[in-house]
Amino acid sequence: TQLLEQSPQFLSIQEGENLTVYCNSSSVFSSLQWYRQEPGEGPVLLVTVVTGGEVKKLKRLTFQFGDARKDSSLHITAAQPGDTGLYLCAGATGGSYIPTFGRGTSLIVHP
Amino acid sequence: DAGITQSPRHKVTETGTPVTLRCHQTENHRYMYWYRQDPGHGLRLIHYSYGVKDTDKGEVSDGYSVSRSKTEDFLLTLESATSSQTSVYFCAISGGGFSSGNTIYFGEGSWLTVV
């Protein structure tokens, strides 16, 4: 059973389009992180959200943590080819220091 | 970039042979993790360590063992490699508990092929 469900699994869009990636769970998370992974490399942290309802922006990326801390979303405005990669969400419950990762959303942005 | 070095980066080995992957960190972080990443499964935790000689199993630990004799080194051993262990292996480190919002830093990965 996957603790964190990410959707969609794959996304292929044209440059300039907007998109949203979702990370959902039936569990409450004390914190949730989003990572981006490029081919041949390890995941790199984009953002950490810890407060229910929290919204964080990173240039054209907007991250939101659900009020109940069970879900999160990543919205990209005016996607660019450089946004291409695998987007992963990871969360931990309670006081755990062991994160669980979603299976990822593979994004391709065509020029 | 976090100071994490994985070795070897690429390896091809035969079924039944032992394999050891090494993770070396220069950040003096307490927590170290070994993950494997496979299509359709995402990142799955194999083993982790919360201090020198303190290790525990993750969700896919069968067929793997680990050792941590120094803060900076975390070794992953496949005692007798099988084709199902063909994968990309990532080492990760963290200075504190994930639930506290501490960042996990990943190495660049080790590509292992078992033939």
Side-chain angles (χ1 to χ4, degrees), chain A residues 12-16 79-82 84 108-111:
Chain A
S12 179
I13 62 172
Q14 293 297 127
E15 181 175 2
Q80 299 177 1
T84 293
I108 299 175
V109 182
H110 301 279

Side-chain angles (χ1 to χ4, degrees), chain A residues 2 9 30-33 35 37 39-45 48 50 86 88 90-104, chain B residues 9 31 33 35 37 40-45 48-50 56 59 88 90 94 96-109 111:
Chain A
Q2 190 70 15
Q9 187 175 357
S30 52
S31 72
L32 193 140
Q33 298 185 345
Y35 292 77
Q37 183 179 17
E41 299 182 6
V44 176
L45 178 71
T48 299
V50 295
L86 179 68
L88 296 158
T93 57
S96 173
Y97 51 83
I98 305 299
T100 297
F101 283 84
R103 292 179 180 170
Chain B
R9 293 291 315 282
Y31 299 98
Y33 313 82
Y35 287 89
Q37 188 174 36
H41 292 280
L43 282 162
R44 293 181 292 174
L45 183 65
Y48 62 96
S49 170
Y50 45 96
D56 208 345
E59 63 177 300
V88 183
F90 286 99
S94 177
F98 184 86
S99 63
S100 301
N102 286 281
T103 300
I104 289 185
Y105 299 95
F106 285 85
E108 294 183 324
W111 274 254

Side-chain angles (χ1 to χ4, degrees), chain A residues 39-63:
Chain A
E41 299 182 6
V44 176
L45 178 71
L46 293 173
V47 76
T48 299
V49 286
V50 295
T51 304
E54 183 176 4
V55 176
K56 284 191 174 181
K57 292 190 176 183
L58 185 65
K59 296 183 180 178
R60 294 176 294 99
L61 279 59
T62 302
F63 304 85

Side-chain angles (χ1 to χ4, degrees), chain B residues 11-19 78-83 85-86 112-115:
Chain B
K11 185 175 182 64
V12 179
T13 192
E14 293 185 350
T15 299
T17 61
V19 177
L78 291 66
E79 300 292 345
S80 178
T82 67
S83 57
Q85 293 176 312
T86 292
L112 176 67
T113 301
V114 183
V115 297

Side-chain angles (χ1 to χ4, degrees), chain B residues 10-68:
Chain B
H10 297 87
K11 185 175 182 64
V12 179
T13 192
E14 293 185 350
T15 299
T17 61
V19 177
T20 295
L21 305 180
R22 179 180 183 240
C23 179
H24 178 77
Q25 61 145 328
T26 58
E27 307 297 321
N28 200 35
H29 279 351
R30 178 182 177 187
Y31 299 98
M32 298 186 76
Y33 313 82
W34 275 108
Y35 287 89
R36 60 177 291 175
Q37 188 174 36
D38 306 285
H41 292 280
L43 282 162
R44 293 181 292 174
L45 183 65
I46 305 171
H47 282 279
Y48 62 96
S49 170
Y50 45 96
V52 174
K53 298 185 180 180
D54 290 324
T55 64
D56 208 345
K57 297 178 180 180
E59 63 177 300
V60 290
S61 60
D62 286 349
Y64 302 94
S65 62
V66 290
S67 66
R68 192 172 179 194

